[in-house]
């Protein structure tokens, strides 16, 4: 009987130790309506100042921002909302209109057309 209890205990301990833990960091790539280097600076700075964001890098080739973040602190929806709140589209989330209107002309949609 003691042996059976011992093996059950060992099995449960091993099972729990191999259980997946939530990731400490996750990565997401979000398409934006950025236009230029000034947009890059604005978006990266705002994201890096956001609690839970470890890094943000906007590619000027694709205008998509790659974000490394802590899922316990912020989620993907919160990141998209942050980008929207500073005046840029973020995937299917439209830019906050007031924030967009306050961007420099070159950073507004079509600003480099």
């Amino acid at each position: 009987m003691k042996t059976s209890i011992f093996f059950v205990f060992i099995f449960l301990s091993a099972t729990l130790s191999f259980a997946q833990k939530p990731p400490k960091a996750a990565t997401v790539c979000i398409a934006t309506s950025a236009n230029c280097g000034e947009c890059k600076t604005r978006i990266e700075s705002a994201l890096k100042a956001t609690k839970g964001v470890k890094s943000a890098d906007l590619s000027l080739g694709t205008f998509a921002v790659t974000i490394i973040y802590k899922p316990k602190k912020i989620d993907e929806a919160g990141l998209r909302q942050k980008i929207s709140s500073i005046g840029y589209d973020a995937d299917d989330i439209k830019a906050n209109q007031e924030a967009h209107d306050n961007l420099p002309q070159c950073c507004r949609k079509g600003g480099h057309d």
Side-chain angles (χ1 to χ4, degrees), residues 1-12:
M1 181 69 170
K2 287 183 181 181
T3 304
S4 297
I5 293 172
F6 175 75
F7 283 116
V8 169
F9 177 75
I10 294 297
F11 174 77
L12 289 175

Side-chain angles (χ1 to χ4, degrees), residues 11-25:
F11 174 77
L12 289 175
S13 296
T15 302
L16 292 175
S17 68
F18 289 111
Q20 289 185 343
K21 296 179 182 178
K24 291 184 179 181

